[in-house]
Amino acid sequence: MSIKIRMIGTGSAFAKKYFNNNALVTSGDYTLLIDFGITGPLSMYQMNMPLDRIDGVVVTHLHADHIGGLEELMLRLRFDYKKKPTLFIEEHLVQPLWDYSLRGGLEFGAGGTQKLDDFFHIIPLTARKPQEVAPGLRLEIWPTRHFPDMPSYAIILNDKLFYSGDTVFDPNLIGSALERGCDYILHECQLEGQGLFHATLAELLTLPEDVQRKVRLMHYGDHMEQYIGHTGLMTFLHQHETYEFPI
């Protein structure tokens, strides 16, 4: 059994060249979208990937580089494709996603007042409680430390792949993922500066070599090429490329 992950974008919140860090996970015939930021619709267009291929969406947190493309996705799927995907989201984020991010552009539409569940089948998630997404695909969300008082979550896929979402450098979180049995660590990487809200390359380079070998770097700046060969035993994920993981 394996899953495929195609990176819609691998860039940071303000990246223009590499787009927002979002991904498509495919298991069998099922396609799960991890976040969908402002640049998501354009990137999907460039990938020649129709939006109706998406069967489910999981949201890590409510910053625009992770949810800014949802309005277009929701409108297109509902009115152009007549499709209602599943939304997997931490239970306490359901109402804020609608009230503070989506309601202004979506509440009043064709057929009267709209609600979030007019666009999605909503499955609320509880942290550290696995959820079956489709045959052969299971996810679990873990809390991360990103912005103070802002809920944000990493994702564990099939108990073997850790996808960081947004987080400061947190060796205990990485250690817990490894203890859980994760063989692959897809981790954000701020290439320079202080790690106030994101893990920095300098911090990630303090990880033991056996851990670095498991790490793929994402959520980086547009000057990523300058750092090729300077990431220890860690490697970069690349925009629009597909990676297969036997998990």
Side-chain angles (χ1 to χ4, degrees):
M1 175 66 70
S2 66
I3 64 171
K4 295 180 180 179
I5 296 183
R6 188 174 186 186
M7 301 305 299
I8 299 173
T10 52
S12 62
F14 307 124
K16 302 299 183 287
K17 181 177 180 179
Y18 292 117
F19 294 166
N20 299 148
N21 197 109
N22 311 150
L24 291 168
V25 179
T26 302
S27 177
D29 296 328
Y30 191 92
T31 298
L32 176 71
L33 177 65
I34 299 180
D35 291 333
F36 204 52
I38 296 168
T39 60
L42 175 59
S43 187
M44 291 277 284
Y45 173 79
Q46 292 183 357
M47 292 162 58
N48 196 29
M49 176 71 70
L51 295 178
D52 67 338
R53 291 280 300 276
I54 295 169
D55 300 302
V57 180
V58 58
V59 169
T60 62
H61 65 292
L62 303 187
H63 277 151
D65 56 318
H66 295 262
I67 62 166
L70 285 183
E71 180 175 325
E72 179 174 341
L73 175 70
M74 293 159 70
L75 288 170
R76 294 284 309 282
L77 288 180
R78 183 173 185 196
F79 296 112
D80 290 349
Y81 297 110
K82 314 302 181 186
K83 184 172 184 177
K84 188 175 181 179
T86 302
L87 174 65
F88 301 93
I89 182 171
E90 199 278 333
E91 55 192 341
H92 297 103
L93 292 184
V94 176
Q95 204 59 44
L97 173 65
W98 180 251
D99 287 343
Y100 303 134
S101 299
L102 298 174
R103 182 176 179 180
L106 293 172
E107 182 172 23
F108 300 104
T113 304
Q114 313 297 307
K115 305 181 298 298
L116 186 61
D117 58 9
D118 290 320
F119 297 91
F120 288 120
H121 300 291
I122 302 171
I123 296 186
L125 302 176
T126 301
R128 297 185 180 271
K129 182 177 180 180
Q131 173 68 50
E132 195 77 13
V133 173
L137 183 59
R138 182 176 60 259
L139 71 81
E140 185 175 341
I141 58 170
W142 285 11
T144 63
R145 294 186 291 121
H146 179 31
F147 270 65
D149 301 320
M150 180 180 192
S152 58
Y153 299 91
I155 296 171
I156 304 287
L157 295 174
N158 288 4
D159 303 313
K160 291 293 185 180
L161 185 143
F162 173 89
Y163 185 103
S164 69
D166 281 3
T167 180
V168 298
F169 182 58
D170 190 344
N172 291 329
L173 181 65
I174 296 172
S176 295
L178 294 170
E179 290 174 3
R180 175 65 174 274
C182 288
D183 295 322
Y184 311 99
I185 307 292
L186 279 55
H187 207 289
E188 66 169 292
C189 177
Q190 178 181 309
L191 294 173
E192 55 194 27
Q194 294 184 328
L196 299 178
F197 309 113
H198 299 277
T200 67
L201 175 59
E203 291 170 325
L204 291 167
L205 282 169
T206 66
L207 294 170
E209 289 189 349
D210 62 322
V211 177
Q212 289 189 32
R213 289 188 179 94
K214 300 176 184 287
V215 176
R216 276 73 163 171
L217 302 174
M218 58 186 187
H219 203 286
Y220 44 72
D222 281 340
H223 54 307
M224 176 272 285
E225 291 93 342
Q226 300 175 22
Y227 290 85
I228 293 175
H230 301 282
T231 60
L233 298 176
M234 301 176 289
T235 57
F236 285 112
L237 293 172
H238 295 281
Q239 180 182 20
H240 295 177
E241 289 195 13
T242 301
Y243 302 87
E244 186 165 359
F245 299 95
I247 58 177

